[in-house]
Amino acid sequence: MICLVTGGAGFIGSHLVDRLLLEKHEVICLDNFDPYYNPSIKREHIKSAISAEKFSLVEGDIRNRKQVEDIVKDNSVEIIYHLAAQAGVRVSIENPSKTHDINATGTLNILEAARSLGVKKVINASSSSVYGKMKYLPFDEEHPKNPVSPYGASKVAAEHYCRIFYEIYGLRTTSLRYFTVYGERIRPDLAISIFTKKALNSEPIEIYGDGNYTRDFTYIDDAVQATILAMNKGDGEIYNIGSGKRITINGLAEKIIAITGNKSKIIHTAAKKGEAEHTLANIEKAKKGLGWEPKIDITDGLKLYVDIKGLH
Ligand SMILES: NC(=O)c1ccc[n+]([C@@H]2O[C@H](COP(=O)([O-])OP(=O)(O)OC[C@H]3O[C@@H](n4cnc5c(N)ncnc54)[C@H](O)[C@@H]3O)[C@@H](O)[C@H]2O)c1
């Protein structure tokens, strides 16, 4: 298949690129190396892909519809894995318009190009942030969507566009609601990345609020596997992609400290706005619809991650 991966130099996107190349697909990576975090980290992510014969990199912006259309047309793209986004809750609170432009309008550009140029399928990276205010746990896909950040709202919009393009135009789309993904190349703004760095240096770990809020964490290989499976399954559907288990943020910090064998102290500071109190995925729909199951639990995933970080 000829696959376009938007955001292919990012954390999840670059792992997906590697996996698609391994499976002998042709891969075009579209990324604008947004400075949200250091772009040199993103160049490092795609270092091995760059030398692959079936890989090409286009430095461009999904907000530019003409550019997206040209890339799809010139490369005869068959499948689009749409991962480019302004990720991150806090930055969306600082600049909601940028988040909307990239995540909502950018997704619309992708869908418009796909529909007009005969792309076979679009797989859209959504997020557990669409749920926001918890009514019950675990979140199944029918749980009300009341996001608590502009980021969550932009992801709701993108999901709806994907569903509507399927229902009205017959463009095959699948949205995957990833629950906090972690592993090698994790975004530097995510808690697991920050806590591990601190623990490896025996520095204090800062937790916003009381640390009793909980998260469902998904290991990168499990997230990528679900994304690959969506190429041929789940048309018009939305799936939760999580581990189906949760841990408190205090518990997470304690686990990381224990795995590193270091002696960081945990300190609590004021809670931040825009964060959901709890996330936990009901993954029954993805098990049935995609034939997918997570393989790596948080303890094993953290050990793998800390081993990689420790070597650097
Ligand atoms: N990491 C997680 O825990 C998580 C959880 C839920 C959903 N997601 C979603 O998964 C996707 C990938 O997330 P990630 O953690 O790998 O983030 P990331 O920031 O590492 O990757 C996103 C990539 O998109 C690129 N990008 C940003 N704006 C762009 C634009 N206008 N045009 C082209 N490229 C652009 C960035 O440069 C970056 O390389 C995103 O859609 C994110 O919202 C991630």
Side-chain angles (χ1 to χ4, degrees), residues 11-12 31-32 37 42 61-62 83 151 155 181 187:
F11 163 40
I12 304 173
D31 203 299
N32 73 342
Y37 64 89
K42 300 176 189 181
D61 198 312
I62 60 164
L83 283 87
Y151 170 70
K155 287 291 182 182
V181 184
R187 288 204 327 264

Side-chain angles (χ1 to χ4, degrees), residues 85-105 126-127 129-132 146-158 273-276:
Q86 175 60 71
V89 161
R90 276 171 220 147
V91 71
S92 81
I93 292 171
E94 285 156 25
N95 192 347
S97 297
K98 182 184 176 196
T99 294
H100 179 89
D101 289 347
I102 300 175
N103 298 5
T105 312
S126 189
S127 167
S129 299
V130 300
Y131 294 115
N146 289 304
V148 290
S149 66
Y151 170 70
S154 72
K155 287 291 182 182
V156 172
K273 280 198 174 143
E275 298 285 354

Side-chain angles (χ1 to χ4, degrees), residues 4-9 28-34 43 57-65 67-68 71 84 102 110:
L4 171 66
V5 181
T6 72
I28 301 109
C29 164
L30 166 61
D31 203 299
N32 73 342
F33 295 86
D34 186 280
R43 300 212 179 265
L57 171 66
V58 183
E59 296 197 28
D61 198 312
I62 60 164
R63 287 169 289 189
N64 182 340
R65 177 147 158 216
Q67 189 174 36
V68 172
I71 294 163
I102 300 175
I110 296 291

